Structures are given as C-alpha cells and as structure tokens.
Amino acid sequence: IVVRLPALRPRVERDGAGGGPVVLKVDHGLSEHARNHSCPDSHEAEADLGHTELVPVPFVGGTQEMPRTQVTGDLTFSVDATGLATGTLTRVELVADGIHAPTYAEDISAWPGPGGMTAYSNVAGTVNLLQFYSTDAGQFYLAAPVGTAPYLCGVSVEAAAITVEFSETMRVSAVPPPSAFTLSAGTVTGVQIVGSTVVLSGTLEAGSITVTYVAPANASQCITGRESGQRAGDFTVATV
C-alpha cells in the first residue's frame, strides 16, 4: 500500500546563511513528561500499527513545511522529481512510535557539511524534525529530536464507535470536527474526548477500517495533550 502524506502547507522561512542548513541546537534528553507517560500495558502489543508509506519529498522552490505526522509503520523518503529545483528546503516533524525509524532512498543522502545532525530518536513520543535540502550537489537530509508529543497506543472498533488511544490524557476543550477524520468504510459524525482516548462515532461498515486524521487549520481544534500541551501528529491507521 502506497500512501502519501497529507497536502503541503507552505510557509515562508528564512534560509540559513550562505544557503546552508538551518542548524538547530536541541536537547537530546527526554523531558520529565516524556519519561513519565507511556501507553497502558494492555496496548503495548498493539504498538505496531502496520501502516506503510512511501513519501516523495517535493523540492519546488523556497521553503515548504509538511504537517506533523505520527509514524505508524515503515517510512521511506525519496525525491519527487516533479518541478525539482535547487536551493530549496522541505521540513516535516515525525512523532516516533518506538518501532519504525524512517529510511531514505538512494537519491537522498545524509547532510555532509558542518552542523549536520542525523540522530533520529525512536523513543516513542519524540518529535523529530527532518529537513530536506536540494543543492547543486544533490538532495540531502538532516534529522534531530526537538521535543515530545502524545503518541498513538492503539485503535479499536466496537459497535458504531472507533476508539483511538494516546499516551496521555487529552485536552477536552480541543475537539476536532468530524471532517478531520476520514474512514475507508463509513463516515464519522461525532468526536468525543474521553481521558486518553478519542472516540469516533458514526456509520461504520464491517471489517477492518482505515482511519485517517488530518489536523484542522484551527489549532484549538487539534488533538492536544492536556499536560504536554503538544499537538498529536496526523495519522493513518487500520483498526484490528
């Protein structure tokens, strides 16, 4: 199954001096919050949510940013040759699932210059910033942990409801509209935040259902951890 990340949300950024990478200074240690929050034991076996993505990285000019995304399976980043331009930067934040680390096709190499960071942290809940550069010498990537966020623990379906569980209690005031969720078989008509879960109600068909969440443009409606205050990443996951 080949699935693309949600559509780009362009944002103008100032490039680093001399056209080089924007060097980040980050704390590679986990916060106290991250060390104290994890999935319930009952969901540890469900952590491998089995979603596979091939992600073409566009280099179409300027700086572009892709949405924060929850890792739910194998990821391979490759160059999207459409409109390929040099002197460009594309960024994406990945929320680690503790199992799958991203890989890179042969057409994208680790950044060879000073300040290059390629230390992706696969501790569940770590937010990793991936930066992709297109230069005259080719296409390169940098990866570094920049924080923590709520992460997916499991998903289940019962009767006319799908329950998505996260690693921490969610903010009850931050409720996405039903339109933020797409089902492969059925329609979401209601969303409720209950503790560490997001409960989707609606018309569901029998069998495994793929659930896709794309964070709303309104930040107050994004799935958000109550204690961390961090947004959950966009995700695509199949029910058992």
Side-chain angles (χ1 to χ4, degrees):
I1 301 175
V2 177
V3 182
R4 293 175 182 264
L5 286 173
L8 286 170
R9 297 175 188 168
R11 188 174 74 183
V12 176
E13 301 252 336
R14 182 170 58 86
D15 291 344
V22 178
V23 178
L24 300 177
K25 295 183 179 180
V26 297
D27 178 6
H28 288 255
L30 285 177
S31 66
E32 188 68 23
H33 171 83
R35 288 193 292 268
N36 293 333
H37 290 75
S38 61
C39 294
D41 292 340
S42 61
H43 283 293
E44 287 184 354
E46 299 179 32
D48 189 348
L49 300 174
H51 181 60
T52 301
E53 293 185 19
L54 175 64
V55 187
V57 179
F59 297 100
V60 294
T63 297
Q64 299 191 16
E65 184 165 320
M66 303 171 81
R68 175 179 290 185
T69 300
Q70 167 72 59
V71 176
T72 57
D74 295 326
L75 287 169
T76 299
F77 289 92
S78 63
V79 173
D80 185 345
T82 304
L84 181 63
T86 59
T88 62
L89 166 65
T90 299
R91 311 194 317 168
V92 60
E93 289 183 339
L94 298 182
V95 181
D97 68 348
I99 299 175
H100 307 92
T103 58
Y104 307 89
E106 294 181 357
D107 53 7
I108 300 182
S109 305
W111 180 260
M117 295 177 291
T118 57
Y120 181 92
S121 172
N122 205 15
V123 176
T126 300
V127 178
N128 290 275
L129 175 62
L130 274 61
Q131 300 185 96
F132 297 93
Y133 295 88
S134 179
T135 72
D136 291 336
Q139 286 69 48
F140 302 92
Y141 72 90
L142 297 175
V146 293
T148 59
Y151 62 94
L152 281 173
C153 294
V155 59
S156 60
V157 58
E158 183 176 355
I162 295 174
T163 299
V164 182
E165 182 156 8
F166 287 88
S167 57
E168 67 172 284
T169 300
M170 295 289 105
R171 185 178 292 171
V172 295
S173 61
V175 182
S179 58
F181 299 89
T182 303
L183 305 181
S184 61
T187 304
V188 175
T189 58
V191 181
Q192 186 179 10
I193 306 296
V194 181
S196 62
T197 65
V198 178
V199 181
L200 311 177
S201 57
T203 304
L204 310 179
E205 298 182 14
S208 178
I209 299 174
T210 299
V211 183
T212 296
Y213 165 72
V214 177
N218 185 342
S220 67
Q221 295 180 313
C222 296
I223 298 173
T224 304
R226 187 179 69 184
E227 296 182 37
S228 68
Q230 289 293 310
R231 296 178 292 108
D234 293 6
F235 61 81
T236 296
V237 62
T239 64
V240 178

